[in-house]
Amino acid sequence: METGKLQPIVWREEKLVLLDQRQLPGKKVFQELSRLEDVITAIKEMVVRGAPAIAISGCFALALEAKHRRGSFQFSDFEGLVKKVHSSRPTAVNLTFALNQARETVQNVSNWQQAYNLLVQFAIQLMEKDLKDNQTLGAEGTKLFPLEQNEFHVITHCNTGALATAGHGTALGVIRSLRDLGKKVVVYADETRPFLQGSRLTAFEMMEEGIECYIISDGMSGWLMNQRKIDAVLVGCDRVARNGDTANKIGTLNLAIVAKSFSVPFFVCATKDSFDLKLETGSSIPIEMRREEEVTQYDFLKDASGHPLLKPGMTSPLEARALNPSFDVTPNFLIQSFITEMGCFPPGEIQNRLKG
């Protein structure tokens, strides 16, 4: 499977190998995991992050647990494992869909060895499908740009590339695809407080790819759109409701409002598994709340031994309180188009495009 330079998820010798994204860009460290609980911890602690990557890792976690079980398969026990994995990151719907498919995969097996074999096969197929879908999505996204133009300036938020998926990426996948057409793309990456996925990960990916990239603070987009010609805002997503309301990394809503004010096209890049047609509007999307110290400190990123990965220090007074929602919801009227492997379309066409 051709994934490009960055492979954050690898299945090797019956173990799941994850690139520890908390330690980027300082160093590339891989964690080798052999138990379900280890994978759940890796998901919660953001060793692996990004909705597609979480879904793939969650399915490998089920396979790892099945490997250690003996005897006849008990579906009720498997349901308990699914619930554990699902609780690791509740906002992204990709994990929900993948776990539902995993249930169907093992519903007729008689023993845990059979379950293990089928779950490994399913997780690998899920990874291969995600890569293919991202490559198709990237190609579809280029159609929204005037290709007689040779240079494009885009703003991104969070990280939506190979590190968040099986490879290529969603929003960064469109950027890669434009580059592959011979276009110059200049990327402005929101730093994405408080976990800094934009400055740590997106900038890292763009440098690996040789794509020009400037880190901007999350509050700089208004100045940038006012001072320079921005061709588009490209973001990923974690869940899309039936009406097009979209949950994505906190700060996406602010960026969408600013883009609307300056008439800059705001595009959401999403594979089919990010659309949750069971939810009528974004008000029903669960929003994960994370630890306060991720906002009040900048030594919350630690390595496996508990040592800070950044210079220890406080960014606020001792005992200051903070709110730390991991996601916000951008209403459909701020979104010009969704970019998917099924083509590009506005929020009003979601139900027709996703039938069946």
Side-chain angles (χ1 to χ4, degrees), residues 16 35-44 48 51 53-66 69 77-92 94-100 102-103 119 122 126 288:
L16 179 63
R35 299 303 300 248
L36 176 141
E37 294 294 344
D38 295 334
V39 180
I40 289 177
T41 298
I43 293 173
K44 287 182 176 180
V48 61
I54 289 171
I56 294 165
S57 299
C59 291
F60 276 122
L62 295 175
L64 289 172
E65 187 60 28
R69 301 266 177 142
D77 290 348
F78 183 74
E79 278 289 302
L81 301 177
V82 168
K83 289 179 180 178
K84 281 186 177 181
V85 175
H86 186 265
S87 67
S88 60
R89 298 295 302 275
T91 300
N94 304 62
L95 180 60
T96 303
F97 289 154
L99 294 176
N100 286 340
R103 284 190 183 96
L119 288 168
F122 168 69
L126 188 67
E288 174 189 357

